[in-house]
Amino acid sequence: MSSEIKADKWSPASGTSATIGDSGDTYTVPTGANFTVTDELKTNKISPASGTAFTMGDSGDTFTVPSGVTFANSGTATGFGDTSYYVKIANNNGTNSVGGAFINDCFSTTYRTYLVTFQFENDRNGNQIWLRFLKDDDTELSGAYYRYATHQINNGGTESSITANDSSYWRMTGGTAGGNTALFGGCFGFMYVHNPYTIASGQAGAGNIYRTGWNAHYSEYDDSGNISNMTSTGMVEQNAVNVAGIQFMPSANYIAKRNITVWGLKEY
Amino acid sequence: MTKIAGWSKELGNHERDMTATEQAEFDARQIEWNSDAEKLKRIKEIRLKKLKETDWWVYRGSMTAEQSSWRQSLRDIPTTFSASDYDALLEMGGEIPNRNLTHSVWSKP
């Protein structure tokens, strides 16, 4: 049989299932023809018939993702939810001792504000955690640019400060936190990084003496359960180069464990 | 070369050797860390913690002679011990979570 079949209904020759064609066959529903499935359609992939665009439904339609279904996105999803949200950019984590931990090219012109969350564990007593920003070429911004003020208060009520005007790094932690003697302490918390890249003239921060400022809130703890509340603010006192990355360093020895995540804040 | 851990768009999570500049700074920090002045600083911090932990003996007003002597021995550390003793004073033993300083001067009576 060939050419055209005209019929109002197809049914299985026997039983309740029927098969159309064989592997490798192609069936085409031409332009202008509609193919309606009123119940469930099962397929492994949907692609555009031509070009690269594909449309689901029409204005007013509702598509429901039922409870328990995972909607996994590995590409770019736009137009979902609010217009302001955090976008995960990078993560550096590990449990082996290293002499430093960095993230390259996490800052750009895409966002003006970034959130950096971090957890560190020292590899011995007395270690401090330091921070330096990285330039576009991935080298350290190590001039005497770092101006900061950190306030520390421990669970015993003792207050102290760590400040600098022209340091080549930001010293984040005290490194002693009670003089720990068994396990080694660490720190965890978050910081907002502002204006790491050049920004448009007329906007807040443009043309000022700094490019990159931060506010941080974190905890430093020791093996004995002593904990300090740390708040810090600082800026990189220069406006010549963009800040593209971030690097954490131990004051000496190693960082034993680390988990650093950088998020961009999409504001509008 | 010392390893440094990083993330980049091209490599994701990865490790690399420090550059010569990074290694030189790392080595300088290690030298400072191992200096006698830094060791003594760490010893004094531990001493301060031990004294604070036992301040309540003083506040209680009935400190034994042994307890008083031990607290005085802590205060005398800088004169009793010399730089050649610093490593021993900072030495730790045992396994986590029971790892602790091993020198007898730290042992509470």
Side-chain angles (χ1 to χ4, degrees):
Chain A
M1 187 181 294
S2 61
S3 191
E4 186 174 2
I5 300 173
K6 290 190 175 182
D8 292 330
K9 186 179 180 184
W10 293 355
S11 299
S14 63
T16 56
S17 64
T19 302
I20 300 173
D22 297 300
S23 173
D25 293 348
T26 299
Y27 293 84
T28 303
V29 179
T31 302
N34 291 316
F35 189 74
T36 303
V37 179
T38 55
D39 203 336
E40 187 174 14
L41 175 65
K42 291 187 176 181
T43 182
N44 291 325
K45 187 178 180 182
I46 302 174
S47 302
S50 62
T52 57
F54 170 78
T55 301
M56 292 176 67
D58 296 300
S59 175
D61 292 347
T62 299
F63 293 87
T64 302
V65 180
S67 173
V69 171
T70 300
F71 204 76
N73 171 42
S74 299
T76 302
T78 60
F80 286 94
D82 297 333
T83 55
S84 297
Y85 47 84
Y86 290 98
V87 179
K88 185 178 176 181
I89 296 172
N91 172 262
N92 177 336
N93 69 83
T95 56
N96 57 322
S97 291
V98 290
F102 65 86
I103 293 179
N104 285 335
D105 302 323
C106 53
F107 306 134
S108 66
T109 55
T110 306
Y111 309 107
R112 289 177 56 184
T113 307
Y114 294 82
L115 170 66
V116 182
T117 55
F118 50 81
Q119 297 93 31
F120 295 109
E121 192 172 302
N122 297 332
D123 86 321
R124 68 196 68 194
N125 300 328
N127 266 12
Q128 303 160 11
I129 299 291
W130 294 358
L131 179 146
R132 259 190 199 138
F133 291 105
L134 304 174
K135 295 186 278 191
D136 273 326
D137 64 2
D138 300 338
T139 60
E140 296 177 4
L141 190 61
S142 56
Y145 303 128
Y146 297 78
R147 178 169 290 195
Y148 58 86
T150 303
H151 177 257
Q152 176 176 13
I153 180 167
N154 66 23
N155 55 292
T158 303
E159 295 183 70
S160 58
S161 62
I162 312 170
T163 61
N165 287 326
D166 299 304
S167 177
S168 65
Y169 57 87
W170 169 36
R171 176 183 155 188
M172 295 174 61
T173 60
T176 54
N180 40 327
T181 55
L183 293 174
F184 310 121
C187 70
F188 55 87
F190 62 88
M191 61 188 287
Y192 281 97
V193 177
H194 306 269
N195 297 337
Y197 253 66
T198 183
I199 55 180
S201 174
Q203 294 189 355
N208 285 342
I209 58 171
Y210 77 96
R211 190 177 304 173
T212 306
W214 71 83
N215 319 105
H217 189 183
Y218 50 104
S219 303
E220 180 177 13
Y221 63 94
D222 73 10
D223 62 303
S224 306
N226 295 310
I227 193 161
S228 289
N229 177 57
M230 315 283 285
T231 52
S232 183
T233 188
M235 67 179 186
V236 183
E237 194 186 9
Q238 60 88 37
N239 202 10
V241 300
N242 291 322
V243 166
I246 195 167
Q247 176 168 309
F248 296 88
M249 307 174 290
S251 57
N253 309 302
Y254 302 92
I255 292 172
K257 296 175 183 174
R258 67 200 180 273
N259 182 32
I260 311 157
T261 307
V262 179
W263 313 76
L265 176 56
K266 186 180 185 310
E267 296 178 59
Y268 36 75
Chain B
M1 282 290 189
T2 304
K3 293 289 184 187
I4 186 167
W7 181 96
S8 68
K9 290 175 182 171
E10 300 78 20
L11 302 173
N13 256 320
H14 67 284
E15 288 184 21
R16 63 167 172 77
D17 289 334
M18 285 185 170
T19 64
T21 304
E22 290 168 342
Q23 188 67 55
E25 188 182 4
F26 180 85
D27 292 343
R29 296 201 305 265
Q30 290 304 111
I31 288 169
E32 185 181 353
W33 171 266
N34 289 314
S35 68
D36 290 340
E38 281 297 309
K39 287 177 183 173
L40 182 59
K41 190 174 154 188
R42 297 199 292 276
I43 289 166
K44 286 181 175 178
E45 285 165 354
I46 295 168
R47 178 184 65 173
L48 179 62
K49 183 186 178 191
K50 298 285 185 187
L51 288 169
K52 281 184 173 178
E53 283 174 356
T54 55
D55 275 348
W56 67 277
W57 294 351
V58 182
Y59 303 147
R60 185 183 54 187
S62 58
M63 193 158 48
T64 66
E66 201 177 12
Q67 289 171 335
S68 180
S69 173
W70 178 71
R71 282 174 60 92
Q72 186 59 49
S73 71
L74 293 181
R75 293 191 195 92
D76 292 341
I77 282 176
T79 52
T80 308
F81 298 96
S82 62
S84 60
D85 301 312
Y86 292 167
D87 285 338
L89 286 166
L90 290 168
E91 189 174 330
M92 300 184 73
E95 295 298 322
I96 292 172
N98 298 312
R99 189 170 163 79
N100 226 321
L101 294 157
T102 57
H103 198 285
S104 59
V105 76
W106 304 118
S107 301
K108 287 179 195 170

